[in-house]
Amino acid sequence: MASEDITKLAESLAKTKVGGGQLSFKGQSLKLNTAEDAEEVIKQIEEFDGLEALRLEGNTVGVEAAKVIAKALEKKSELKRCHWSDMFTGRLRSEIPPALISLGDALITAGAQLVELDLSDNAFGPDGVRGFEVLLKSPACYTLQELKLNNCGMGIGGGKILAAALKECHRKSSAQGKPLALKIFVAGRNRLENDGATALAEAFGIIGTLEEVHMPQNGINHPGITALAQAFAINPLLKVINLNDNTFTEKGAVAMAETLKALRQIEVINFGDCLVRSKGAVAIADAVKEGLHKLKELNLSFCEIKRDAALTVAEAIEDKTELEKLDLNGNCLGEEVCEQLHEILEGFNMASVLGSLSDDEGEEDDEDEEDEDEEEEEEQPQLKERGVEEQESLTPKKIIDSQASTPVPSPPVDVATFLAFPSPEKLLRLGPKCSVLIAQQTDTSDVEKVVATLLRISSVFKDEAPVKTAVHETTDALMKKAFSSATFNSDAFITNLLIQMGLLKSEEKIKAVPSLYGILMTLNHMVQQDYFPKSLAPVLSAFVTKPNRALDSCSFARHMLLQTLHQL
């Protein structure tokens, strides 16, 4: 290490905070690659008597540095809190599991009894969960109360590994007479989807001691929501449920409402942007009205709730004396209903709890028709997944009698239908020629149409092989056709794409895509193909590197794309 680097490191370490059993290197941007790089950090750890909390957030730790730091931790039996979020910035995904294994083994060797483990904002994916799986199953985690894994890109596979580890930890700790009593679980922005959420729900049901669950932005639909609701009912101490930005629909909302009736300690309900819609909102309102006297916050914003349902929610909080905030912003109410909400709450002397309604979508009609459309959209994929036996159970008896075990046919899908209402199921039902069909029917001389089509294709991206392959093949066919055209303007394409992604400002008001995960993962594939102009890579890299809230919510996909761009 050069002398100037050592000086810089020493200056940074001079800012290290010590106190209350805590040693903090938080936010020092230390680049610890080798054992030599980590010498000063190790010295601080070794000289700290009674180390109870170690903060390594906001630094970057490589495999070799992790090994020597781990060696220093082997003698720290009093360590209880590991604040290790955002500590692998710029690392390859392959580096993270061995680093975590070294650190975890050290805690086990030390005989530590952890209370808190925070590995949030580390884009380690499913393989990264394997890196601390052994730790979670060990005696070091029998005492764990807080597990924080926000924004780690675990995916369905990682969620299942995590759930199995938690169940094993509970089994082993119970055999020792002190069952795992986890209180706080955080795993937002992890693409857990239904299967990952269902696996974790099984673990939650076994644990039974949860007080806070935060799982926003995980692509969970009503089957996963229903599984979580059933698990929550077996956790009577729950105070906070944050499932923001998942997709309940009426079925999930009704299941969750039934669970809420059984919970007496609930203080915060965050179901914002969860598409509970009017029937779901009414069910939740009934649960609130029947109990939940400790409720402090109810968030049902951006849920497509209409007039009567919103008023029902407002009337349900009449005797909730602890309530501090009711959020109904971004629904479909209209000015008149917004005024009525204020009047109702003023009558309860609770006008101050109502949040802003500035993003109200205005009153809409045809609610029943929309609900029916929603049910059709929901049920069809389920029928496809369940198999003939269950399909028959959902079919009216007279149809069963006449058609025996004939499966319900899927409605035909064409390119226009897919592009109007994209879904993974529709893309797959287009068949093996979906890539050719979409490319043929897209005017690639029109940059805006190419961008719009690309965004619709990428919006259905999933890590599951059939969908992932279909998205990649369709993208390749479309973009190969576009970039090979002499009239196609590549610069205009990347500019328009960045605008639609919300990464570049436009003079016109543009509604950016709701989630960048799909397009980032699709771009990660695109930039590696021969048809992609390498001259666009620096532009894309510059904008994806810039600080942006939408990108922050997809740190795993962002990391993957930047890593690929760097290697081009």
Side-chain angles (χ1 to χ4, degrees), residues 283-549:
I284 292 168
D286 288 343
V288 170
K289 191 171 185 177
E290 287 184 22
L292 306 188
H293 295 293
K294 296 183 179 182
L295 189 63
K296 294 180 179 179
E297 180 179 337
L298 175 59
N299 185 346
L300 294 174
S301 60
F302 299 93
C303 281
E304 294 192 8
I305 299 170
K306 308 295 175 62
R307 171 195 175 113
D308 292 342
L311 297 176
T312 300
V313 171
E315 289 166 356
I317 66 168
E318 180 178 3
D319 62 344
K320 304 299 174 257
T321 56
E322 300 292 318
L323 194 71
E324 298 171 2
K325 184 176 182 181
L326 171 63
D327 193 345
L328 291 170
N329 197 19
N331 286 299
C332 310
L333 309 180
E335 289 185 21
E336 183 181 339
V337 178
C338 289
E339 290 176 7
Q340 284 182 273
L341 286 174
H342 282 287
E343 290 173 5
I344 290 172
L345 295 175
E346 281 177 1
F348 301 155
N349 196 27
M350 297 175 71
S352 62
V353 306
L354 183 63
S356 169
L357 297 172
S358 60
D359 291 320
D360 183 65
E361 295 288 339
E363 189 171 2
E364 292 184 13
D365 298 320
D366 303 321
E367 179 179 357
D368 292 339
E369 183 178 331
E370 287 183 11
D371 283 351
E372 289 174 8
D373 290 343
E374 173 198 353
E375 289 300 314
E376 290 177 10
E377 283 290 318
E378 279 191 306
E379 291 298 337
Q380 193 57 53
Q382 292 173 43
L383 290 176
K384 186 176 180 182
E385 292 169 4
R386 283 176 180 156
V388 175
E389 199 171 298
E390 278 195 56
Q391 286 178 27
E392 290 175 354
S393 72
L394 296 173
T395 308
K397 188 176 186 301
K398 61 183 180 180
I399 297 178
I400 292 176
D401 292 339
S402 64
Q403 296 185 359
S405 60
T406 304
V408 179
S410 299
V413 174
D414 56 22
V415 171
T417 303
F418 167 73
L419 292 177
F421 303 101
S423 73
E425 293 78 17
K426 289 193 184 105
L427 182 61
L428 293 176
R429 278 178 14 222
L430 278 172
K433 293 186 178 180
C434 63
S435 58
V436 177
L437 292 172
I438 291 176
Q440 285 177 343
Q441 296 184 38
T442 303
D443 180 5
T444 51
S445 66
D446 187 329
V447 166
E448 292 186 3
K449 285 184 180 177
V450 172
V451 169
T453 302
L454 175 63
L455 289 172
R456 285 179 172 86
I457 295 167
S458 64
S459 71
V460 306
F461 179 91
K462 282 179 139 185
D463 291 315
E464 298 166 9
V467 178
K468 185 188 214 177
T469 301
V471 169
H472 286 173
E473 290 178 351
T474 308
T475 298
D476 289 342
L478 173 69
M479 298 314 303
K480 187 173 182 180
K481 179 185 174 185
F483 285 126
S484 62
S485 170
T487 58
F488 189 72
N489 189 328
S490 299
D491 291 336
F493 164 77
I494 200 71
T495 300
N496 191 274
L497 179 61
L498 291 169
I499 289 172
Q500 298 298 328
M501 291 172 68
L503 306 183
L504 182 62
K505 289 184 179 179
S506 170
E507 293 180 2
E508 299 177 13
K509 190 173 182 181
I510 298 291
K511 187 175 182 181
V513 292
S515 171
L516 294 181
Y517 182 83
I519 185 61
L520 289 172
M521 294 300 284
T522 303
L523 283 169
N524 184 53
H525 168 79
M526 266 179 61
V527 300
Q528 299 177 62
Q529 309 310 309
D530 292 338
Y531 62 72
F532 185 81
K534 297 301 181 275
S535 60
L536 299 182
V539 179
L540 188 57
S541 180
F543 280 92
V544 176
T545 304
K546 285 183 178 180
N548 184 286
R549 286 181 64 187

Side-chain angles (χ1 to χ4, degrees), residues 123-241:
F124 46 59
D127 293 340
V129 185
R130 293 283 187 200
F132 60 93
E133 179 186 15
V134 173
L135 172 64
L136 275 182
K137 295 178 180 179
S138 75
C141 285
Y142 290 177
T143 50
L144 196 64
Q145 296 180 14
E146 301 180 29
L147 179 59
K148 300 174 181 178
L149 298 166
N150 202 54
N151 199 27
C152 292
M154 289 190 291
I156 295 170
K160 289 181 176 180
I161 296 168
L162 175 62
L166 288 172
K167 288 190 289 184
E168 182 70 2
C169 180
H170 187 272
R171 185 187 69 78
K172 288 182 174 180
S173 58
S174 297
Q176 297 291 323
K178 294 182 179 180
L180 171 68
L182 193 66
K183 294 181 179 180
I184 297 174
F185 180 83
V186 181
R189 300 173 178 174
N190 270 293
R191 305 289 295 183
L192 294 170
E193 301 186 19
N194 290 331
D195 290 347
T198 300
L200 285 167
E202 187 177 339
F204 296 162
I206 292 171
I207 294 169
T209 56
L210 289 167
E211 295 180 11
E212 295 185 21
V213 175
H214 302 264
M215 296 174 66
Q217 295 184 13
N218 270 298
I220 309 170
N221 299 325
H222 76 78
I225 296 298
T226 300
L228 288 171
Q230 293 168 349
F232 292 165
I234 316 171
N235 284 265
L237 302 177
L238 266 174
K239 296 178 182 178
V240 178
I241 302 177

